[in-house]
Amino acid sequence: MKTQGICSKIIVFSLLCAASPLFSETFRVRKLFPLKLTGTVQNEQTFVTGINDGIAIFLPDDRSWLEGIEIKIAIPEAVAAWQDSVALSLYDNITPRPSSSQIDYGGTRSFVKPLPTRLSWIIRIPLSASVSFKESAYETKLALVPDTKRGFVFVRLQPAMKGIPDETINAELKISVKPILINKGKLCISVAALTGETSPYTIFIDGNKTAADTNGYTLSPGTHDVNIVSDFYRSEMRTVRIDQAKTTELAIALKSLVPTLTVASPDNASVYVDGQKCGGFGKAFEISEGEHTVRFVMGDYEIVRTINAQKGKSYTASVAVDLKISED
């Protein structure tokens, strides 16, 4: 029994030593599980594998929001009870391209580690040198970034020692795979003037002056305030919500600084602005700066008011006719 244990450790040691990025090998899997990740939804895909299976995790074309891959393995007791009996390996340069109909492969093994002697294990694979997630007691963060130029990551489960009992060899492992999305979103702002030509303006996001950027702004999820300030247009303020791994479009139409007036009145009334009869109730129209007279006429009933219009201001002239009944 002692000799078997020593031999087993030697085999595991050999397997670990073979993890050099320069070590290439050919191998056969019992079954290949192809998965397709999304780059905007943190959906989890769960399936059951054996300890001689491979997993090909295909990445989305747009990886702007994708910073890693999380693999969660539910380890059966038959595997956890035999320390260092099963290992997980990561490969680069896999040929041929993985498919469910292919079981023979060649590749360069870049990482290998035996499954721990507990009932679950989470492996997090970074897809760039700078990621936000870290290693913890129950989560293993790989210290390397796999080669993803061909659009996939290849993972393999394999026996790591001899003399494993049949119940371990035939054990099934429940595996869940999901994308790790960056905790950011993007805001794209388009600014236009009614005249078609846009004079200089300044963008403030959450009170911070920001240069105009057609590629958008990367922001934390939540609500943000956007202000447009200009000497040529009215100030505009919007509040937008940014969602994780999503792009929010914000279109802002700049308005002239010329004062406007909107008239709201009953249809059977006549309204005069500076002596000119007004039509098109409810629609704003431009007026000059300075004092204006608004006269409302309905039958023998007349009301006159004045407005001192100022640059960049909007005004509304409205008349409400009400009937009040009182009881003594």
Side-chain angles (χ1 to χ4, degrees), residues 110-132:
S110 58
F111 170 86
V112 60
K113 187 169 184 175
L115 273 60
T117 54
R118 56 175 187 261
L119 299 181
S120 68
W121 186 32
I122 295 176
I123 308 99
R124 291 186 162 184
I125 304 172
L127 295 179
S128 67
S130 177
V131 293
S132 62

Side-chain angles (χ1 to χ4, degrees), residues 35-81:
L35 305 177
K36 177 70 174 180
L37 293 187
T38 65
T40 57
V41 180
Q42 209 161 13
N43 61 318
E44 186 173 82
Q45 301 179 59
T46 301
F47 51 98
V48 176
T49 72
I51 67 170
N52 283 292
D53 293 341
I55 306 168
I57 305 170
F58 290 90
L59 306 176
D61 294 333
D62 183 1
R63 305 175 201 170
S64 304
W65 307 114
L66 189 61
E67 66 170 355
I69 301 170
E70 180 179 293
I71 302 175
K72 182 177 181 180
I73 304 176
I75 305 171
E77 292 186 7
V79 174

